[in-house]
Amino acid sequence: MSRRMTAEITRGAVPLAEVVRGDLVESVHLGHLVVLDAAGEVVLAAGDPTAEIWPRSSLKPLQAVAMVRAGLDLPPELLALAAASHNGEPVHRDGARAILAGAGLGVDALRNTPSLPMYPPAAADWLRAGRDAESIAQNCSGKHAAMLATCVAAGWETGGYLAVDHPLQRAVRAVITELTGAEPAHVTTDGCGAPLFATTLSGLARSFGTLAGAAAGEMSQEPTARVARAMSAHPEMVAGTGREDTLAMRAVPGAVAKIGADGVCAAGLPDGSSLAFKVLDGADRPRPALLAAALRLAGALEVPGADPAALAAIGRVPVLGGGEPVGEVRATFDDGLGAGVAVGQGVRS
């Protein structure tokens, strides 16, 4: 069983990023990547766009859409937090508490895995205050607070909100099926304790194109538009200081971006074009370089108000020697096509 599953994820994988130290390539990150145009057609495929993956926290915007459909009503900055893998900075912890308080609940209702804040300075402050790992500090506390608030709004019981057959999780599964275009074939448990549904890389990309495209209709109050608009308007709530998805949404107005653990990322642009990738070894290191390069190929620099310098800065991932840059992590498809990369007619130079 394990050998068969390993073969499935590695089949067709290609080099997505190279780690260059000095004048030699030191390491290579394999994976799968797809860029879709506004019609959902493949602009660029590196590896296998149909690869089935665990999208991890890249699913959070879709989970948030399900919550809004079920009656969750939050101001935009807190709705962005519902779709977040946040740093655990004070604004994030305060926001999660506010979501809970609005539903008449306290932090004891949270069932996500206790953790320290993700952002090192926030974790240091937390420990200096005599605190230990807690659910409110964990990066998924905004999502879990919103899940509980959704249950209160819908009249569902809160104690079992993480059960895969709970009405909330059935609603989440339905939204994932709708926006990705396929019923999840596999389900497991994510790191935070919530159900995790599998999807294909192209399905994940397609869902982000739908989200970002919906938000571009400024008058739309559809749940997809509300979630996407909240994320792009409050990117600091989606991740936080120094995080690539926050920085990408600041650099490209109207973009919707969300990373996931184990080397996953997805993003959509206001015209409905989109991208998704999975780094095969689960490394975070190449993710910023891949995100910046894929956004350029998807047409991010054509978005009015896009900041080319800010997008380029996201993609600069230095390799250090003696504390100084001696190389970089770079996307293999950024300047010319690498092996195993297929290009559609709509590719942008």
Side-chain angles (χ1 to χ4, degrees), residues 118-129:
M118 182 184 294
Y119 185 50
D125 290 343
W126 186 258
L127 291 170
R128 274 193 294 267

Side-chain angles (χ1 to χ4, degrees), residues 14 21 26 53 71 75 106 118 159 167 175 182 198 216 219 223 258 273 275 300 326-328 330 342-343 345 348:
V14 300
R21 183 180 295 273
E26 182 173 35
I53 64 165
M118 182 184 294
V175 167
M219 298 306 293
K258 184 71 189 70
S273 57
L275 65 97
V326 296
E328 63 177 345
R330 65 189 184 197
V343 183
Q345 292 184 345
R348 298 170 171 91

Side-chain angles (χ1 to χ4, degrees), residues 35-64:
V35 178
L36 304 178
D37 65 16
E41 298 298 321
V42 174
V43 170
L44 179 142
D48 182 6
T50 69
E52 197 167 20
I53 64 165
W54 295 118
R56 304 298 299 271
S57 285
S58 290
L59 273 185
K60 284 178 178 173
L62 280 66
Q63 292 169 317

